[in-house]
Amino acid sequence: MLTAATLMFHVIFATIGVGIPVMIAIAEFLGIKKNDPHYLLLARRWARGFTITVAVGVVTGTAIGLQLSLLWPSFMQLAGQVIALPLFMETFAFFFEAIFLGIYLYTWDRFKNRWLHWLLNIPIVIGATLSGFFITTVNAFMNTPQGFDLLDGEAVNIDPLAAMFNPATPTKVFHVLTSSYMTSALILAAIAAFMILKKKGSFTYHKKALKMTMIAGLIFTAGTALAGDLSAKFLAKEQPEKLAAAEWHFETESNADLIVFGTIDENNEISNEIRIPGALSFLAGNSFDTEVIGLNEFPEEERPPLWVHYAFDLMVSIGMYSMFIAGIFVLFSFIKRFNEHNKFLLMGIIASGPLAMLAVEFGWVYAEVGRQPWILRGIMTVDEAATTSSSVGIAFGLFLALYAVLGFFCVRVLLKMFRNKPAEAELEQRFPGGKL
Amino acid sequence: MSLEVIGISVLWLFLYGYLIVASIDFGAGFFAYYARVSKREHIMSKLISRYLSPVWEVTNVFFVFFFVGLVGFFPDTAYYYGTALLLPGSVAIILIAIRGSFYAFGNYGSKDNTVYLFLYGATGLLIPAALSTALTISEGGYLEETSEGVVFLAGELFTSPYSWSVVALAIVSVLFISASFLTYYADRAEDVDSRAIMRKFALWWSAPTIGASLLVFAGLRDHNVEHFRRALDLWWMFGLSLLFFLIAAFLIYSGKRYGTAFIMVMLQFFFAFFGYGASHLPYILYPFITIEGSVVNETMGTALVIVFILGLCLLIPSLYLLMRLFLFDADYVKGKK
């Protein structure tokens, strides 16, 4: 529970942490290239807000790092033998990013050549993306452990690289990275759309921001959808119980139906659902004849809880919605006849930001709960791995309070920061008369 | 050199790095808060924030590095320390979280919020206290292994004179290290007023540092005689530590060469810390974990060492760049950039 709470809180900041640097780099690039102070200011203001979220991301990330050992001592004792390598490399990536982020934030006006400052983005983006990569390989390992043999509960014949590049790694990493980029783009787009809708401040500035984030958003949502599709195919092959639980798929069969929404009762009877005939088989293997393994093949105590279906559906629906909205916007902005800034579209975009973050949460809930009861699939259950200490309850209460406080102040500080200094005032101050 | 010795030396080096940079950071938070309540803020806070702003994140990484590395090289430590440290560890994490976040909130968000600064300053002294419990526990006597698992004897820890002497040493060292660094930094910035304040602090905290160290030795003799004997065998390291301390105190007192003085302080803690670490071996956690018994399998150990060397090739130039731009750039330090 405590790990779940910490992770869910951390994921918000981690997603932003991986995605925003890319957006900042793009904005600064456009600004220098086009000689446009609007984009430069965008990069600057995003970067300023970013530091606040990075701070919270860093401290919650530190918390998880320690909690792994504190709450799952037996798991770490075993898995530490096998996955120490990516964990260790992750801290290097993090270190690298931290150093250059510090330099980046304090050297805006120190270099004569703006490109030199832009170059600092590269190590930041690499660091952020690599730390996302390394940590995801650890999670992938927990889903499809390999690279060692088990001898009386001890890990032997260890192959660190095989453990890192396990079957789940490629799809997981791909999906995590694209969805982080997508979520960050949509959140920034939501802010811009909100400012336009409320008719606050400089239109040109926010319109440029919206267009840029929406185009990026469309590309990243498409990438996310592709990655999601690949993930489903991977699950069908390597972790069929997870996919089956998400789709309430009990009997092994070909031409299996995809179930959208619906409810399930204690006898596993499904009602209120939308059935798409054969689509699950298609999802699993690009053909209606693909045989999809059902839950009945697994003993009852090794099945994941069935409510993960809802998390899965919500994640997919939000993903579809985001792609639709971003697509409409980009289409409208290229065809002169339509007004891409009409009220409904703007409201749709505003919704897409928080929704995307929710989708990230749903996705993680599905991925993590879908692997229950295992912490190391097929090797160690969650119960065996948990600490025996009796103080977990107190710690849980303390951390919950901490996250509430941090969340509250983080939002408050961010709002205050941008309200006190609107974009147009800062634009005039930094670039008088709109000149560079 | 065997794998486990390389492993523990690397980790100890990082813990030492953390000790130095974190002390500067923790102490600076405390001094910044002190400056505000004593209305001397205009002098000192600029200096402190100019140093801290670009580096505070890096400080945090040293720590993450240490414990990730420890679990990587010595997975058994996860089992024992993990169970034992759930509460003190959680408290430390929470304090670190509050400190880091409120530093950012205060520094980038609302600069004049005293509550933020208080949270930042106060936690700076509590974190070393919380973290030092891990070192105390490593001496043994606070854990009990039963059939149901490892039990942490919190009562023993809170009533032990040894554990309190370690806490005292941690806090005064933080203030001493930080003050001597900031004296040097103020000197570089040609900020005479701040320098005078920080110099006074450095001198003020120098004697308690040595006093607390002696207390720790006395406490260790009562608590873990074996370790105390091994420490006596390495007496020359502690002697060197004392020597460097005297040089540092003399330089700060005579008001010149603050840079050299700070290097002396670093050497003082280097020898004390490594003397302590070396005499602690072969135990990582007395009497449950020794370095030979708990070291990770060889393949992983070798991979970790390789990654470590590659990582350093990346980190050292980056750190150098960071220091060049902010620490040793005279114009930046003086606030002109």
Side-chain angles (χ1 to χ4, degrees), chain A residues 74-330:
Chain A
S74 316
F75 163 71
M76 285 307 280
Q77 195 179 16
L78 174 71
Q81 300 266 358
V82 195
I83 50 166
L85 187 70
L87 278 175
F88 200 52
M89 294 211 265
E90 202 266 349
T91 56
F92 268 112
F94 173 39
F95 213 145
F96 193 55
E97 185 193 351
I99 291 175
F100 281 94
L101 190 64
I103 299 179
Y104 182 80
L105 290 173
Y106 288 89
T107 52
W108 279 101
D109 302 313
R110 262 174 88 165
F111 301 112
K112 279 227 169 63
N113 184 347
R114 284 176 193 276
W115 288 110
L116 268 180
H117 185 257
W118 184 80
L119 285 179
L120 290 170
N121 275 302
I122 296 174
I124 298 175
V125 170
I126 291 178
T129 300
L130 276 185
S131 57
F133 167 73
F134 288 129
I135 211 67
T136 311
T137 64
V138 174
N139 182 274
F141 169 80
M142 292 160 80
N143 280 286
T144 50
Q146 67 166 37
F148 67 103
D149 296 318
L150 215 53
L151 197 75
D152 304 327
E154 296 265 333
V156 291
N157 295 335
I158 287 162
D159 179 353
L161 287 178
M164 235 178 107
F165 294 98
N166 57 73
T169 296
T171 47
K172 254 207 168 165
V173 168
F174 187 23
H175 199 47
V176 164
L177 291 182
T178 47
S179 61
S180 297
Y181 296 159
M182 154 187 153
T183 307
S184 305
L186 292 180
I187 285 177
L188 296 175
I191 296 171
F194 179 79
M195 299 304 277
I196 297 173
L197 191 66
K198 286 262 153 194
K199 301 208 170 25
K200 272 191 183 160
S202 151
F203 262 174
T204 25
Y205 171 82
H206 292 301
K207 279 182 180 164
K208 277 177 187 168
L210 187 63
K211 188 166 178 188
M212 183 205 133
T213 48
M214 273 283 121
I215 293 175
L218 182 63
I219 297 168
F220 294 139
T221 37
T224 310
L226 174 66
D229 181 58
L230 292 175
S231 302
K233 291 184 175 37
F234 154 80
L235 285 181
K237 219 168 96 200
E238 302 277 348
Q239 247 181 321
E241 77 278 16
K242 201 182 204 174
L243 186 66
E247 286 305 333
W248 292 338
H249 178 66
F250 294 95
E251 300 294 334
T252 300
E253 57 186 1
S254 58
N255 201 13
D257 296 351
L258 185 76
I259 295 172
V260 185
F261 298 108
T263 50
I264 196 165
D265 64 12
E266 58 271 28
N267 303 321
N268 292 342
E269 289 297 326
I270 304 163
S271 45
N272 304 325
E273 83 279 21
I274 309 167
R275 264 176 198 276
I276 308 174
L280 182 58
S281 284
F282 198 78
L283 185 70
N286 276 345
S287 141
F288 294 110
D289 303 328
T290 312
E291 191 179 70
V292 184
I293 298 171
L295 267 185
N296 290 347
E297 309 282 321
F298 296 89
E300 200 129 350
E301 66 276 8
E302 288 182 15
R303 290 182 203 167
L306 290 174
W307 59 262
V308 295
H309 172 75
Y310 305 114
F312 182 77
D313 274 3
L314 286 169
M315 168 185 83
V316 175
S317 320
I318 294 173
M320 293 295 166
Y321 167 79
S322 306
M323 189 145 69
F324 173 73
I325 281 280
I328 297 268
F329 178 89
V330 173

Side-chain angles (χ1 to χ4, degrees), chain B residues 197-279:
Chain B
I197 300 171
M198 291 325 297
R199 179 172 162 268
K200 226 182 282 167
F201 270 119
L203 290 173
W204 179 254
W205 290 111
S206 59
T209 312
I210 289 303
S213 316
L214 293 176
L215 265 182
V216 168
F217 266 109
L220 188 61
R221 193 184 53 204
D222 295 337
H223 191 82
N224 184 338
V225 187
E226 252 186 87
H227 184 180
F228 181 70
R229 286 220 189 89
R230 281 192 303 268
L232 284 189
D233 291 341
L234 289 168
W235 65 271
W236 57 274
M237 291 190 88
F238 298 100
L240 276 177
S241 170
L242 186 66
L243 178 70
F244 286 119
F245 164 75
L246 291 173
I247 301 175
F250 173 74
L251 285 175
I252 296 172
Y253 179 74
S254 53
K256 56 189 174 197
R257 309 188 56 183
Y258 294 109
T260 321
F262 183 66
I263 293 173
M264 293 299 135
V265 172
M266 282 176 71
L267 285 172
Q268 172 203 341
F269 280 90
F270 181 87
F271 280 103
F273 196 65
F274 275 77
Y276 170 81
S279 59

Side-chain angles (χ1 to χ4, degrees), chain B residues 147-218:
Chain B
S147 54
E148 275 149 47
V150 180
V151 178
F152 170 52
L153 310 168
E156 292 280 324
L157 185 73
F158 280 111
T159 52
S160 139
Y162 174 67
S163 102
W164 286 109
S165 64
V166 172
V167 168
L169 178 62
I171 293 177
V172 293
S173 315
V174 160
L175 293 172
F176 177 59
I177 294 174
S178 183
S180 50
F181 174 78
L182 289 171
T183 312
Y184 160 65
Y185 200 67
D187 189 51
R188 293 268 316 180
E190 292 168 17
D191 182 346
V192 183
D193 296 336
S194 301
R195 189 183 69 193
I197 300 171
M198 291 325 297
R199 179 172 162 268
K200 226 182 282 167
F201 270 119
L203 290 173
W204 179 254
W205 290 111
S206 59
T209 312
I210 289 303
S213 316
L214 293 176
L215 265 182
V216 168
F217 266 109

